């Protein structure tokens, strides 16, 4: 599976949802997640994210992100249409500590 990681937080560009063939992105207030059981591993969303927030779970230490994506994809509504990025997306791209700030 692919997963959305912390740099999506406070950016939420949503370019990713336009290309997913199985519509498996789910939307929270500050970020999106991918449902790990619905993702077919096609990889087309990865290069679409301007914040480079989408990673394959084959990279090191991705297990916590798989669980994070699973948890919130079961709570949040599906998103299938691109919308405007969050207002501070460009400034906050690359900021560290966003996970703790929003999900502690
Ligand atoms: Fe959708 Fe493919 Fe990205 Fe999985 S890898 S979320 S199926 S676009
Ligand atoms: Fe987030 Fe990147 Fe999609 S910032 S909303 S994963 S395009």
């Amino acid at each position: 599976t692919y997963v959305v990681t912390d740099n999506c937080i406070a950016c939420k560009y949503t370019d990713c949802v336009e290309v997913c063939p199985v519509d498996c992105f789910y939307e929270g207030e500050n970020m999106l997640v991918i449902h790990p059981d619905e993702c077919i591993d096609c990889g087309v969303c990865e290069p679409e994210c301007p914040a480079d927030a989408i990673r394959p779970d084959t990279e090191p230490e991705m297990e916590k992100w798989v669980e994070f994506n699973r948890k919130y994809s079961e709570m949040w509504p599906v998103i299938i249409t691109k919308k405007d990025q969050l207002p501070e997306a460009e400034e906050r791209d690359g900021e560290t500590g966003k996970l703790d700030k929003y999900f502690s």
Side-chain angles (χ1 to χ4, degrees):
T1 187
Y2 280 71
V3 289
V4 181
T5 60
D6 51 348
N7 204 35
C8 179
I9 298 167
C11 292
K12 202 162 83 168
Y13 283 101
T14 72
D15 299 66
C16 51
V17 306
E18 292 277 293
V19 298
C20 181
V22 295
D23 296 339
C24 64
F25 282 91
Y26 293 80
E27 183 184 18
E29 209 176 320
N30 302 303
M31 75 178 294
L32 303 191
V33 290
I34 291 168
H35 197 307
D37 298 335
E38 295 173 358
C39 173
I40 59 170
D41 243 355
C42 70
V44 300
C45 58
E46 183 190 346
E48 295 300 317
C49 175
D52 205 21
I54 301 175
R55 312 303 322 148
D57 73 343
T58 48
E59 289 185 357
E61 292 172 37
M62 281 292 140
E63 193 49 40
K64 77 164 187 170
W65 285 107
V66 175
E67 289 321 307
F68 183 98
N69 277 244
R70 185 187 306 283
K71 173 179 172 185
Y72 288 104
S73 64
E74 284 165 4
M75 296 168 57
W76 294 344
V78 71
I79 172 170
I80 59 172
T81 310
K82 176 166 172 54
K83 52 164 74 172
D84 288 346
Q85 65 206 52
L86 290 176
E88 297 181 335
E90 276 178 45
E91 298 96 282
R92 303 197 62 186
D93 184 352
E95 179 182 318
T96 55
K98 290 196 279 188
L99 182 66
D100 287 341
K101 225 169 272 176
Y102 286 87
F103 290 89
S104 56

